[in-house]
Amino acid sequence: VSTQSTGGRHKAALDIYGEASKLAPEDSELLHNQGVCLVYLREYGKAEDCFKKALANQKTEHSYSQLGKMHILKGDTDGALAIYKRAVENFPENSELLSVLGLLYLQMGDTQKAFEHLGNAMTYDTSNVKAIMGAGSIIQDHGDFDVALTKYRVAATITPESHALWNNIGMCFFGKKKYVAAISCLKRAHYLAPFEWRVCYNLGLAHLTMQQYASAFHFISAAINLRPKFAPLFMLLGIALTHLEDPTNAKQAYDQAISIEPDNPITHLNYAIMLFNHGEKSHAATQYSKYETCQKKKGGVDPDVNALVAKLGPILHLGS
């Protein structure tokens, strides 16, 4: 039966499990296997019933895991979180359950609980790559790049072909302003996953920072082909095209970014700078005014942006 199930013949396997369950209707393993087949057949309601019956008869790690994964497949993050919380209460030392629960908390923006559960997962299994990557990303987001790199080095010995790992390592080097190392790592990530838009985005950003505008244009364009509704990509494209002395297409890129995400203050600010530098002071003043409106709504300004605004703002206000 297991061969039929793994071979994709889930309906046939389900029929056999159904016949077997007539002889042993309370058998948890049979109920679990029926649930797995039903998930593959996308009959989620029936699958949930099977997993819940299996767990009522016997609490097992794999039934909790499959039920949680089913909720994730359905896009029900809250439901998955509730299942994994219950699973961890029953199996508090299961590294896999702890790591998935941590990643769910991370997805929901609760970094404190995420880090707690990911840390516990690593306590019970120091080689749990999911936990290492999750914890590393939290540490990285807090700017502790060296600590994050230490975590990633452990993961690199286990999964050296992970594009996500090399992407994160690359962005740690980017954060440390070691741009050559960053580009090297990101290119390895790109080699491993050429159609991953985030890697292309990060490569474009790194090349822009290095003032390698043609390379930046190449990777940003590739990212746009993969993710055409992500506004920041068009803003970066506008910056690259400006430096490649193509103001006409740069304007189109900025306009596209604004049409997708009209309330992004940084897009309006960069557009205003580009227009001002090309002598279009009236249009620049309009974009700067939109920047101010969006920034007031958003609140909080990066110190580097503040310094730029302090210089540009008075000029554009006078120019308008």
Side-chain angles (χ1 to χ4, degrees):
V1 174
S2 61
T3 304
Q4 286 184 303
S5 180
T6 55
R9 295 170 61 186
H10 307 295
K11 184 71 175 72
L14 188 62
D15 291 340
I16 295 170
Y17 287 133
E19 289 300 314
S21 66
K22 289 177 184 176
L23 301 171
E26 301 299 311
D27 187 294
S28 294
E29 194 65 26
L30 281 174
L31 287 163
H32 171 87
N33 290 341
Q34 283 178 291
V36 171
C37 290
L38 287 161
V39 168
Y40 277 108
L41 295 168
R42 298 186 181 182
E43 295 186 35
Y44 297 128
K46 290 180 182 177
E48 185 168 0
D49 288 341
C50 287
F51 289 132
K52 283 183 174 177
K53 284 177 186 174
L55 287 165
N57 294 331
Q58 182 186 359
K59 288 179 170 57
T60 61
E61 295 151 304
H62 62 287
S63 286
Y64 273 122
S65 182
Q66 286 292 338
L67 182 56
K69 284 177 184 174
M70 188 200 74
H71 279 285
I72 292 169
L73 274 175
K74 288 165 58 183
D76 179 11
T77 308
D78 290 332
L81 189 72
I83 296 299
Y84 279 104
K85 279 170 73 176
R86 221 173 307 144
V88 166
E89 285 169 10
N90 286 283
F91 301 98
E93 296 183 8
N94 184 296
S95 177
E96 183 64 20
L97 294 173
L98 283 163
S99 64
V100 176
L101 180 57
L103 291 173
L104 284 168
Y105 275 122
L106 185 59
Q107 188 180 329
M108 298 179 82
D110 192 337
T111 53
Q112 188 175 344
K113 284 186 179 176
F115 196 73
E116 178 189 330
H117 286 92
L118 293 168
N120 288 339
M122 287 186 288
T123 300
Y124 297 115
D125 180 6
T126 55
S127 62
N128 185 317
V129 175
K130 280 183 191 173
I132 293 167
M133 291 289 290
S137 70
I138 294 170
I139 294 165
Q140 185 175 346
D141 286 345
H142 283 81
D144 296 330
F145 302 117
D146 288 322
V147 178
L149 282 169
T150 303
K151 297 283 185 194
Y152 294 145
R153 282 191 191 102
V154 176
T157 63
I158 304 159
T159 56
E161 303 300 303
S162 165
H163 77 272
L165 173 64
W166 287 105
N167 176 73
N168 286 12
I169 292 171
M171 293 315 288
C172 275
F173 282 122
F174 184 86
K176 286 163 64 69
K177 301 191 187 322
K178 294 184 177 180
Y179 301 122
V180 175
I183 288 171
S184 176
C185 294
L186 289 168
K187 284 194 173 174
R188 183 162 183 177
H190 184 254
Y191 171 77
L192 293 167
F195 300 112
E196 175 52 65
W197 74 270
R198 288 179 183 84
V199 176
C200 294
Y201 173 87
N202 288 336
L203 269 166
L205 188 62
H207 280 296
L208 269 183
T209 306
M210 289 286 286
Q211 299 180 356
Q212 297 167 342
Y213 300 116
S215 295
F217 173 81
H218 168 76
F219 286 110
I220 294 163
S221 297
I224 285 171
N225 285 330
L226 296 165
R227 186 78 174 222
K229 296 294 182 186
F230 187 60
L233 281 169
F234 287 97
M235 182 190 74
L236 292 184
L237 184 65
I239 294 169
L241 287 165
T242 301
H243 286 285
L244 291 169
E245 298 181 4
D246 186 356
T248 303
N249 283 315
K251 285 183 198 174
Q252 288 180 5
Y254 279 118
D255 288 336
Q256 183 66 17
I258 291 165
S259 72
I260 297 168
E261 189 182 3
D263 295 328
N264 187 327
I266 299 301
T267 303
H268 290 292
L269 181 61
N270 279 319
Y271 199 1
I273 294 165
M274 177 260 174
L275 291 165
F276 179 78
N277 288 336
H278 284 82
E280 298 185 39
K281 292 184 179 178
S282 176
H283 290 152
T286 302
Q287 287 301 324
Y288 185 79
S289 175
K290 288 179 180 177
Y291 158 75
E292 289 184 311
T293 303
C294 294
Q295 191 58 58
K296 279 177 188 171
K297 287 180 188 174
K298 186 182 176 186
V301 187
D302 185 277
D304 293 336
V305 174
N306 249 338
L308 182 62
V309 168
K311 293 177 186 175
L312 186 66
I315 298 169
L316 287 177
H317 282 305
L318 287 170
S320 61

